[in-house]
Amino acid sequence: MLTLNQILMSTQAGLSSMLAVHYPKAVVCQGQYILVPGDLPILLVAHLDTVHKTPVKHICQSEDGLILMSPEGIGGDDRCGVYALVTLYDSAPKEGKPWLLFTCDEETGAHGAYQFSEDFFDGLLPPDIARLKLLIELDRKGERDAVYYECENPDLENYITSKGFETAWGSFSDISVLAPDLGIAAVNLSVGYYNAHTQHEYINLKHLEATIARVKGILHDVADSSFPRYAYMTDTASQWIWGELLTTPKEQRTALLEIYPPEELDAIQSEMGDTGIRMLYEDALADGIFWY
């Protein structure tokens, strides 16, 4: 199995190549996504890119070995998710594998997710993809967050909450594209990284492993033929609220200076443009840092 250090220290292209070799039956859309077919009607999603320009060369650990950081930026967003997907698939029983989707360039506009959706509509994906009942993305900071974006399916939310997660708010991720296009409800779960999009990002391995254990429980449930299909439902109220909260990039940056040094905001804006500033701002809103 691929190790966490291998995953953290790879470039997006290098990691894509490793995964293609590791999963020889995968559907590979070069530079866009890798789809690994499974037996269970659930799709787990993670993205291969990070916001950091320099690949990880040095990994620093706390004395107890539970906290990882890097002077290059550890890239837990979303290499933690990639590691979780690999661990969950490789440790699953032979006839109980989930489907996996590794996307490229989520941080710069979810390009891989959009290509996957386009291929889905064009009928280019394996036909068994129509059997999916649930999408789970593993691309959220923290320990117990469950983010649904513009999807509102109370039954799914109740189910995910029963697994130890707490409903939170976020701005955008790959499932924001995938869930409505596939017509399947989705949730983005915490995978133990913190201070995303900054050089001070770190990974809490205890929190990462706890999410992996909870998702194993979900896979066990999905293996039961009576497990329901969760349909995508649009949360119009959430769309209206987020629309009201958005401000101009200049105003967002000014507000972010309360919690980020200007050089970090300069680096993020240089790499991702106004999209990066918006994402940081909306994450801060979701965490209750700003009140308006």
Side-chain angles (χ1 to χ4, degrees), residues 110-148:
H111 299 291
Y114 279 112
Q115 184 63 55
F116 180 87
S117 287
E118 183 176 326
D119 289 351
F120 170 74
F121 287 125
D122 289 344
L124 301 178
L125 301 179
D128 280 353
I129 203 82
R131 297 175 49 246
L132 294 178
K133 297 180 176 180
L134 173 63
L135 308 183
I136 294 181
E137 185 161 11
L138 293 168
D139 179 29
R140 175 68 180 178
K141 64 184 178 181
E143 180 182 5
R144 292 178 179 270
D145 284 3
V147 182
Y148 303 89

Side-chain angles (χ1 to χ4, degrees), residues 19 21 31 74 99 106 142 146 210 217 233 235 246:
L19 290 168
V21 171
I74 194 67
W99 289 68
E106 187 268 355
M233 302 177 185
D235 181 2
L246 293 177

Side-chain angles (χ1 to χ4, degrees), residues 20 53 58 67 96 102 104 106 167 185 199 234 262 287:
K53 294 181 178 180
H58 309 92
I67 305 298
F102 301 98
C104 297
E106 187 268 355
T167 298
Q199 297 300 114
T234 302
D287 290 341

